[in-house]
Structures are given as structure tokens and as C-alpha cells.
Amino acid sequence: LSNEMKHTFLKKVHQFEVVTSEASYCRSLDIVVENFVMAKQLNVILSSQDKNWLFSRLNDVRAISHSFLSHLEQAVEKDIMRFTVCDTIIKHCPRFRNVYVPYLTNQSYQDKTYQRLMEESHEFRRVVEKLERNPVCQRLPLRSFLILPFQRITRLKLLVQNIVKRTAPKTKDEAQAIKAMKLLEKMIQDSNESISQMKNIESLVTLNAKVDFECRTLPLISQSRRLVREGPVTELRDFSLKDREEERNVYMHLFNDYLLVSLRKEGGRFTVIDHAPVSDLRVENCRFKLHSLQKNLFHLHMPQKALLLRTDTQANKLRWISALSRPYPEIDFSAVQGMCTSCFKRNCRVKVNSLMLII
């Protein structure tokens, strides 16, 4: 076979694999929905909140996957030798995005809910293990079914990448394949950004519950705020540096827009003694030693005061200087609209206007 014929043959193999793997994926989604999501025993013991966290969007994922498979099968039946899959992928990508981005974003919280229920609810564990023994599961646990959407969207992207490699350059088919690949890559990128944003929000909600303000209160929870660096440093309050009682341990939380300087309290709490916008900070390295014991020093200039700070190592000092010196532009989260947060005892529930994501 010539190289061109080999490429054509391998391209068709990958196209068939998109169809056959989608059919297998749909069968697995049928199992998780019919055997677990719709199980009466689970519906009795799960609260509506836990059910949403555990099975969020699975029915939607199943519906879009069956629709996608149906269109693929129609293309094969219409012309088995000349059918394409990338045009069908392009048509379904907007619906894929509306379903997969919130599902993938929710996955870490889904896993936390599963672990919590398995540890705290004997009845949940008993019912799940019973349902997993159903022969239709083929000895696969519930957890393996819950991660299927993530595995599928990643595999679909790889299959399309292989199709691009086997498609003749500068043709309509290549243009379609590249477009499909870029749409899938963008969807995965959006999911990763959404996951990162949710983690930022969760960490801010957690920190907000742990801080008290000795100074002017700063609202901590913001969509555009992200943690850059945090850790303990020593503040030297007596510039003669002769009295160790004039030292105190402080803790700094550096965000992309603000710096918090706190005193660490028992139980992992913090009392914020000062804060300032990053744009108002100025940092200077102290390249000399003050007395034999004083090293790893740097000055931090804030709007109302200047702090002389010491770190445990030279490397840590340089990291702080670098972090405090770097500008951190605002992050544009316009792709995810209308987010609001509220804190729950074990999880955070975040609603995204267009996605109605529950985590």
C-alpha cells in the first residue's frame, strides 16, 4: 500500500473508532443512570442536595451522548465508505460545552461527597455495594462510572487529533478536523479554568471563615481574587535588633490584588492586623547582615508603615521578594457568568448563572 492509502485507511479506522467507542460509552452511561441514579434504594437515603452533588448532570451527559451517537450512526448508514465524524462533532460542541464544563468542574466535589457518604453512612455503603454486584456493572465500582465523562472527552480529543494527522493537507476535511480538535481543546481548557476558579472560591470561603479583622474589614470572597503565596515570616519590631522579645511571628496571604498580614491563632484562625492593595506595596532586599544572627531580611513598604521581615532561608526570602514585586493583573472570568457563593458545613454550593452548577 502507498503512504496515501495507508493514511486513508488509518483515518477511516479512527473515524469508526469514534462511533464504536461512543456506542460503548453510551451503554456505560445507561448503566450508571439506570442502575444507580434511578435506584429507589439510593433515592430513599440520599438528600436532594447530596444526590445533586453526586450525580450532577449525568442525565444531561447521557442525553447529549445518545443524540451524538444517533447522528454518527446516521452518517455511517448514509455512506459507510465516505462518512465523516468531525462535522458532527462541530455541530454538537456547543451542547457538549453546556454539559461537560459544569460536570467536569463538579468532579472533585462529587468525589468528596462520595467519600464522605461512604465513610459516614453505613446504609449508603451497603446499598452502593449491593448495586455494584449487579452483573450489568461487570464488577466495576460506582466511582469508575462517575469519571467516564472526563475520560470520554479526553479520548474524543485524541481520536480527532489522530484524524487530523491522517487527513490530506489543505482540504475541506482537514479544515473540519482542525476546527473540531480546537473546539474540543477549548472545551477542556474552559473546564480546567472553571475548576481552578472553583478551587479559588472554595479556598477564599474557607479562609473567610477563619479570619478576624483587627484593622478595617476587607471582603475576601471575589471572583477575580486568587492566592499567589502564603506563609509565616518574622517581623522585627525593634530596629536595634537586640531584643528578641521585639520579634513576632506574622503570617502573610498574598493574593493577586491584596496582601493580608495576620497573627496566627489557635485552631488555625488568623487575626488580620493590616492589609493593602498589591499596587501600593514596595519591597526592598537587605543584602547585609545585622549582627551575626540577623540575616534573610527584607523591607516591605505598605501605605501606612514599613515592616522589616525575616524568613527562615535565603531562598524563601527571594521567593517572597519576587512574589511581592510582581504585578498581578485582574483575571477575566466573563466566560463564567454570575457566580455567587455561600458556605456550607462540608461543601460549597456555587451557582453559575448559565450553567446552574451545583458543587
Side-chain angles (χ1 to χ4, degrees):
L1 292 176
S2 66
N3 285 335
E4 184 178 349
M5 293 179 68
K6 286 180 181 178
H7 277 281
T8 301
F9 174 75
L10 290 172
K11 173 187 170 183
K12 191 59 63 177
V13 168
H14 293 313
Q15 289 177 329
F16 271 111
E17 190 174 356
V18 170
V19 181
T20 56
S21 60
E22 189 68 24
S24 175
Y25 173 55
C26 284
R27 286 195 295 271
S28 296
L29 291 175
D30 289 341
I31 292 170
V32 68
V33 170
E34 294 169 8
N35 191 59
F36 293 98
V37 179
M38 299 173 63
K40 292 182 179 179
Q41 305 99 306
L42 278 182
N43 285 321
V44 169
I45 62 177
L46 284 178
S47 67
S48 59
Q49 190 177 84
D50 280 342
K51 186 176 180 182
N52 280 326
W53 281 330
L54 194 60
F55 298 129
S56 175
R57 296 276 182 168
L58 261 178
N59 278 311
D60 295 335
V61 171
R62 181 196 190 193
I64 184 61
S65 299
H66 274 285
S67 173
F68 178 51
L69 176 61
S70 176
H71 283 85
L72 289 174
E73 290 174 337
Q74 289 173 19
V76 173
E77 291 170 3
K78 185 176 181 180
D79 192 338
I80 193 170
M81 297 305 296
R82 297 180 181 179
F83 80 94
T84 59
V85 298
C86 290
D87 54 342
T88 306
I89 292 172
I90 291 169
K91 290 177 183 177
H92 280 76
C93 266
R95 292 182 65 195
F96 282 155
R97 189 189 185 287
N98 288 340
V99 170
Y100 277 93
V101 171
Y103 187 89
L104 299 182
T105 303
N106 179 64
Q107 202 155 42
S108 65
Y109 301 96
Q110 178 188 70
D111 191 56
K112 289 178 184 177
T113 301
Y114 174 83
Q115 290 183 27
R116 173 174 59 80
L117 290 170
M118 289 295 282
E119 292 171 1
E120 298 179 4
S121 173
H122 173 75
E123 186 66 9
F124 175 80
R125 177 189 288 272
R126 185 189 67 80
V127 171
V128 166
E129 290 176 349
K130 178 183 177 182
L131 294 173
E132 288 174 344
R133 289 195 291 270
N134 188 330
V136 73
C137 294
Q138 298 180 341
R139 299 182 180 180
L140 293 174
L142 171 59
R143 231 176 192 173
S144 68
F145 288 102
L146 295 178
I147 64 172
L148 284 174
F150 172 77
Q151 294 173 333
R152 178 56 186 166
I153 207 66
T154 304
R155 185 180 181 188
L156 189 59
K157 184 198 74 170
L158 294 175
L159 289 171
V160 173
Q161 284 177 337
N162 287 330
I163 291 172
V164 171
K165 292 176 184 177
R166 308 299 181 185
T167 304
K170 299 180 180 179
T171 61
K172 180 181 177 181
D173 284 350
E174 184 195 44
Q176 277 194 328
I178 291 174
K179 183 177 181 181
M181 181 180 68
K182 288 183 176 179
L183 285 171
L184 291 170
E185 288 175 344
K186 180 65 165 61
M187 182 167 58
I188 293 172
Q189 179 186 346
D190 288 345
S191 298
N192 290 335
E193 290 175 356
S194 184
I195 290 168
S196 177
Q197 185 186 17
M198 295 304 165
K199 288 182 178 178
N200 285 333
I201 292 291
E202 183 187 24
S203 66
L204 288 171
V205 169
T206 301
L207 179 61
N208 190 63
K210 293 181 178 180
V211 299
D212 303 303
F213 285 85
E214 185 179 283
C215 56
R216 181 169 56 87
T217 301
L218 172 71
L220 284 183
I221 302 172
S222 168
Q223 293 182 36
S224 60
R225 182 166 294 142
R226 60 185 177 86
L227 184 65
V228 175
R229 183 173 174 78
E230 65 173 307
V233 294
T234 300
E235 179 190 2
L236 305 176
R237 305 175 70 189
D238 178 6
F239 278 37
S240 68
L241 303 174
K242 296 178 180 179
D243 188 352
R244 284 189 171 270
E245 291 183 1
E246 291 302 320
E247 298 180 0
R248 67 175 176 179
N249 296 322
V250 297
Y251 199 93
M252 298 201 299
H253 290 91
L254 176 64
F255 299 97
N256 59 309
D257 59 343
Y258 258 86
L259 171 71
L260 303 186
V261 181
S262 307
L263 299 178
R264 207 167 189 174
K265 301 298 183 181
E266 292 183 1
R269 297 191 63 82
F270 299 92
T271 298
V272 180
I273 56 176
D274 207 349
H275 57 73
V278 168
S279 57
D280 292 344
L281 301 178
R282 185 167 60 86
V283 63
E284 291 178 343
N285 185 11
C286 293
R287 300 181 183 277
F288 53 87
K289 294 182 181 180
L290 301 177
H291 298 267
S292 59
L293 298 178
Q294 302 298 341
K295 55 184 179 178
N296 306 325
L297 302 171
F298 66 96
H299 277 106
L300 175 62
H301 296 272
M302 302 178 72
Q304 304 299 327
K305 66 173 72 172
L307 305 179
L308 180 60
L309 302 174
R310 184 182 68 222
T311 60
D312 54 347
T313 66
Q314 172 80 356
N316 203 18
K317 178 187 78 167
L318 294 177
R319 291 189 188 102
W320 270 115
I321 291 174
S322 175
L324 290 161
S325 303
R326 194 175 303 153
Y328 299 100
E330 290 296 313
I331 306 168
D332 180 13
F333 285 132
S334 58
V336 182
Q337 303 172 7
M339 179 176 296
C340 63
T341 62
S342 59
C343 186
F344 289 94
K345 288 184 180 179
R346 292 190 175 92
N347 294 285
C348 303
R349 184 177 182 226
V350 180
K351 291 184 179 179
V352 180
N353 234 7
S354 58
L355 305 179
M356 290 306 291
L357 169 66
I358 298 178
I359 60 176

